[in-house]
Amino acid sequence: MTSVVIVGSGFTGFECARRLQRQVRRHGGDVDITIVSPIDYMLYTPLLPDVAGGVVDARFVTIPLAGTLRGVRAVRGRVEKVDLSAHTLAYTDPDDRTHEMRWDRLVLTPGSVTRLFDIPGLATYARGLKSAAEALYLRDHVLEQLELATIDDDPAVAAGRRTIVVVGASYSGTELVAQLRALADAAARQMGFDAASVRFLLLDLAEQVMPEVGEKLGKAAMDVLTARGIEVRLGLTLTEVHADHVVLSDDSRVDCRTVAWVTGVTAAPLIETLGLPTEKGRLKVGVDLRVPGHPDVFAAGDAAAVPDLTQPGKITPPTAQHAVRQGKTLARNVAASLGYGTAKDYRHRNMGLVVDLGPHYAVANPLNIHLSGYPAKAVTRAYHLYSLPRMVNRWAVGLAYVTDLLFPRTVVSMGLSSQEDAQFSASEGIPMPKAD
Ligand SMILES: Cc1cc2nc3c(=O)[nH]c(=O)nc-3n(C[C@H](O)[C@H](O)[C@H](O)COP(=O)(O)OP(=O)(O)OC[C@H]3O[C@@H](n4cnc5c(N)ncnc54)[C@H](O)[C@@H]3O)c2cc1C
């Protein structure tokens, strides 16, 4: 039987698998569709800041492959090597055993990982926000540090525990700092200490917070952050990270025990092992999402450099919005390559962004209409409920939103994700840089 193997169960791979299976069934075809991924779910990343902030339970932002991808075989494993001429791949399962798999069509959607730099201590002491383990760790770690600060005799050590540094002021870093602030405020009320004693620092080399949403909304977001007591320091990054302090690029030292590194992403490590042409580290593909010179290989999402037909000369940005739509086009074009239906080029105009800034506030620019305050909050939450690809998850997240409106946040540090679990290497599969 003809086999299609999809690598990665993120937005692109999940959508491709779901549509492809339907497309083949509609045409009465017989195709063996397999999705290979180290995790058995699709992670709805836009709600990771809410997980870190304790608004939404981590399970509610995971869409299980079992039960949602009917007719698709889900295989737990990380693809390590692809042989493009022999049409095979090798993957390692969670028990560290290596297996080989044959394919007639290969769909590469391994997404992206946090972009790290050779900053001493970064990979050891900082944590990212790309996986459920990282989001859970940040929530638990911040709360644990706030709890420890209440029993520290040395005020300087306590102040360090109450200082949280977030690096990266794009939408994910900004959402994260806003949610952690709300969590710390809830902890202060419930544990009986002064919320103003918790210091939040948001750093970025850029000159503006969230350049993606434009100057007006970026300024609105900046005003909200400042009003919430978050220090935003632009034109700055880290040069050293230690267990109890960081050094900034202006040579100043900040004592802190929590560093979140959310500065951007780069294509998954698998891409550079392929030996194929890349652009900005992403695998080059044509407008039909085929890899040039390899008619049986397709790629899309954060891992691929997909030409943006609405902005000639540019590639599409790494967003979920593009990833989902590219997943649909992939399904259609892979099916067409097997004789079911017709192929089409990928074309999608950006529909705008929604950014949740914690209690009562958000900014959004749907269809280029600039919104802030309550209207933006309503649009943001409605958008996520609509975009979650499973009814049970919509229900659970909807209830979490209502609970958040009616009750104080639950302040518990359950230790579900350890410092090791949340390391970039363990949770995202990034090899540790030499500097550490
Ligand atoms: C905190 C955060 C908030 C975000 N918020 C938004 C938002 O509000 N709006 C928006 O549009 N975008 C948002 N994004 C961006 C969005 O998450 C990405 O653009 C999207 O996830 C890309 O989808 P993908 O399928 O290409 O990759 P991913 O979703 O990253 O999925 C890749 C999959 O491949 C798997 N994989 C990796 N390597 C291998 C391998 N070697 N073998 C097998 N499987 C592998 C991974 O485990 C994963 O399942 C956000 C991202 C983050 C981190």
Side-chain angles (χ1 to χ4, degrees):
M1 195 195 295
T2 310
S3 65
V4 176
V5 176
I6 300 167
V7 179
S9 62
F11 283 85
T12 324
F14 181 87
E15 193 63 26
C16 171
R18 194 157 69 152
R19 299 259 168 178
L20 180 60
Q21 173 274 126
R22 279 191 216 152
Q23 191 102 349
V24 171
R25 200 156 31 115
R26 202 176 313 134
H27 286 87
D30 199 10
V31 177
D32 180 26
I33 306 169
T34 304
I35 191 163
V36 187
S37 178
I39 51 178
D40 60 358
Y41 54 86
M42 175 237 162
L43 182 64
Y44 189 82
T45 49
L47 288 180
L48 284 180
D50 296 57
V51 173
V55 177
V56 175
D57 191 279
R59 233 169 357 116
F60 303 160
V61 304
T62 60
I63 318 297
L65 304 184
T68 50
L69 291 183
R70 264 198 323 133
V72 176
R73 190 163 69 103
V75 169
R76 204 72 199 265
R78 182 175 294 280
V79 174
E80 310 287 355
K81 228 174 124 205
V82 176
D83 189 330
L84 295 165
S85 43
H87 280 209
T88 57
L89 57 78
Y91 69 92
T92 312
D93 72 19
D95 256 357
D96 253 349
R97 294 171 303 182
T98 304
H99 307 259
E100 200 178 84
M101 192 180 274
R102 193 192 62 79
W103 46 267
D104 295 305
R105 297 288 181 281
L106 180 66
V107 182
L108 293 166
T109 61
S112 57
V113 292
T114 301
R115 192 181 337 127
L116 292 175
F117 294 94
D118 274 348
I119 297 172
L122 181 68
T124 306
Y125 299 112
R127 294 294 176 266
L129 187 69
K130 275 286 285 176
S131 68
E134 289 168 323
L136 280 173
Y137 171 77
L138 283 173
R139 184 198 65 186
D140 284 357
H141 179 73
V142 165
L143 288 177
E144 192 176 271
Q145 292 303 311
L146 296 180
E147 285 157 0
L148 288 173
T150 64
I151 51 169
D152 260 316
D153 294 331
D154 184 341
V157 175
R161 293 195 192 279
R162 287 185 177 147
T163 302
I164 292 125
V165 176
V166 176
V167 192
S170 64
Y171 56 85
S172 46
T174 306
E175 285 189 321
L176 175 67
V177 80
Q179 288 295 350
L180 290 179
R181 172 85 258 177
L183 180 69
D185 290 349
R189 274 192 298 274
Q190 293 172 43
M191 288 160 56
F193 62 85
D194 181 8
S197 68
V198 187
R199 184 181 177 205
F200 279 90
L201 224 61
L202 177 63
L203 308 177
D204 202 302
L205 275 175
E207 286 167 7
Q208 193 205 311
V209 167
M210 296 195 302
E212 315 91 314
V213 293
E215 210 173 306
K216 189 173 157 207
L217 287 184
K219 186 176 173 322
M222 178 83 172
D223 291 345
V224 175
L225 297 176
T226 313
R228 294 241 160 99
I230 295 161
E231 289 171 51
V232 182
R233 300 187 57 187
L234 299 171
L236 279 179
T237 186
L238 303 179
T239 55
E240 285 172 39
V241 188
H242 301 267
D244 59 356
H245 73 277
V246 292
V247 179
L248 310 191
S249 46
D250 63 358
D251 287 336
S252 59
R253 171 190 162 121
V254 176
D255 286 355
C256 63
R257 304 279 176 132
T258 310
V259 180
W261 181 258
V262 204
T263 59
V265 295
T266 182
L270 177 67
I271 295 303
E272 68 174 3
T273 69
L274 300 171
L276 292 170
T278 57
E279 182 173 344
K280 294 183 178 163
R282 300 165 77 185
L283 182 61
K284 273 191 175 228
V285 293
V287 284
D288 58 354
L289 308 182
R290 268 193 157 115
V291 175
H294 297 274
D296 298 334
V297 184
F298 296 75
D302 283 12
V306 177
D308 188 345
L309 286 177
T310 68
Q311 296 185 74
K314 293 197 170 173
I315 56 174
T316 56
T319 65
Q321 200 182 119
H322 280 291
V324 172
R325 286 176 172 83
Q326 287 169 8
K328 287 181 193 166
T329 307
L330 273 175
R332 180 172 172 152
N333 293 0
V334 172
S337 79
L338 298 170
Y340 308 119
T342 51
K344 68 167 190 179
D345 292 345
Y346 177 73
R347 178 190 292 271
H348 168 65
R349 197 174 291 282
N350 188 16
M351 310 284 277
L353 263 180
V354 295
V355 184
D356 196 325
L357 295 173
H360 320 300
Y361 213 89
V363 293
N365 57 3
L367 306 168
N368 227 1
I369 304 164
H370 289 198
L371 300 174
S372 55
Y374 282 112
K377 187 85 183 176
V379 168
T380 301
R381 293 205 151 170
Y383 173 80
H384 289 314
L385 290 179
Y386 167 76
S387 302
L388 276 161
R390 182 170 170 254
M391 190 58 210
V392 183
N393 293 71
R394 284 190 205 126
W395 171 266
V397 170
L399 270 184
Y401 285 160
V402 174
T403 309
D404 187 47
L405 275 179
L406 300 179
F407 302 99
R409 286 191 190 193
T410 303
V411 173
V412 285
S413 171
M414 295 176 76
L416 290 175
S417 168
S418 70
Q419 199 171 19
E420 289 71 36
D421 294 334
Q423 274 192 336
F424 294 105
S425 51
S427 68
E428 297 186 33
I430 312 177
M432 290 281 266
K434 285 192 186 68
D436 287 86

